[in-house]
Amino acid sequence: MATVVLVNVVLLLTILVHHHNQVQVSASDPDILTDFVVPVPPNTNGTVDVDGSYFTYTGLRSFIGAFPPKFTIFKASVTQLPALEGQSVSYAALVYPPGGSVNPPHTHPRASELLFLLVGSLEVGFVDTGNQLFAQTLQQGDMFVFPKGLVHYQYNKDGKNPAVALSAFGSASPGTVAVPSAVFNASIDESILAASFKTDVGTIKKLEAGLSH
């Protein structure tokens, strides 16, 4: 009887370890078995000739010298540059106009983020799983890391000067979950939101209306 119990325990532990390893593997970009990945169009012989242009992305040219009237993100992920497939890296350029522009609280479920402030100053921060806020005021030339999956933000409170930053991600497709939109624009029942935020449905409707513009 004791032997049967021991065998069952070993089997259970094996299953749990296997499941844990699967979760760990799926939480980051999968490894590739080639130098790089080239999509093969259908109806071909399985080979595609590529040159340097395949590894080049010119979409950030519009970012250089750009000062849009509201917070703007210029992305360079696998969607924009397919050559990033399997490389576990991507970029974003961010422009924060003066006068309170904000990149609202959000998460990147598949990547940590390393932000480098090129111009201006920024108030940045993230909240860990213990609900502790880690905040900092960045000046031009500073860097700040946002751990993977944690809620974070950036805010330019300077009323006269813009801020410009570059962010590097540890995934070709980091993903973004914007907290305000995910909560108030995802068709969650308003009574559930009212109970969750300890307010009334009327207040929830106002928040939803404000985010819809």
Side-chain angles (χ1 to χ4, degrees):
M1 180 65 178
T3 303
V4 173
V5 172
L6 179 61
V7 170
N8 288 337
V9 170
V10 171
L11 287 173
L12 178 60
L13 289 174
T14 302
I15 292 170
L16 289 174
V17 169
H18 177 68
H19 175 71
H20 177 67
N21 289 337
Q22 284 185 320
V23 171
Q24 285 186 315
V25 170
S26 64
S28 57
D29 289 3
D31 289 333
I32 58 175
L33 301 178
T34 56
D35 294 336
F36 49 84
V37 177
V38 179
V40 178
N43 303 319
T44 66
N45 61 3
T47 60
V48 177
D49 292 329
V50 298
D51 57 20
S53 63
Y54 175 69
F55 304 94
T56 303
Y57 178 60
T58 61
L60 291 187
R61 289 180 180 178
S62 59
F63 157 73
I64 305 299
F67 292 100
K70 61 180 181 179
F71 170 70
T72 303
I73 303 176
F74 300 81
K75 294 183 178 181
S77 65
V78 71
T79 301
Q80 294 78 30
L81 179 57
L84 291 176
E85 182 71 42
Q87 303 302 322
S88 300
V89 67
S90 58
Y91 256 110
L94 309 99
V95 181
Y96 314 78
S101 60
V102 63
N103 188 2
H106 61 282
T107 71
H108 302 296
R110 295 185 290 273
S112 55
E113 174 183 359
L114 182 61
L115 181 142
F116 175 45
L117 186 58
L118 296 169
V119 175
S121 63
L122 278 179
E123 306 295 318
V124 304
F126 69 85
V127 179
D128 71 3
T129 55
N131 211 33
Q132 181 177 353
L133 172 65
F134 297 84
Q136 185 69 27
T137 299
L138 301 183
Q139 303 299 331
Q140 181 173 309
D142 293 346
M143 301 181 79
F144 191 86
V145 61
F146 302 102
K148 180 167 66 174
L150 298 185
V151 174
H152 61 280
Y153 64 87
Q154 302 107 33
Y155 176 64
N156 179 18
K157 69 177 183 180
D158 192 320
K160 296 181 179 180
N161 302 300
V164 180
L166 284 176
S167 282
F169 299 93
S171 170
S173 180
T176 300
V177 179
V179 174
S181 181
V183 173
F184 295 105
N185 281 344
S187 301
I188 299 175
D189 189 277
E190 290 161 347
S191 61
I192 296 174
L193 293 177
S196 299
F197 288 92
K198 294 180 171 55
T199 186
D200 54 83
V201 171
T203 300
I204 297 299
K205 288 182 178 292
K206 290 180 181 178
L207 290 169
E208 290 174 337
L211 288 169
S212 65
H213 298 303

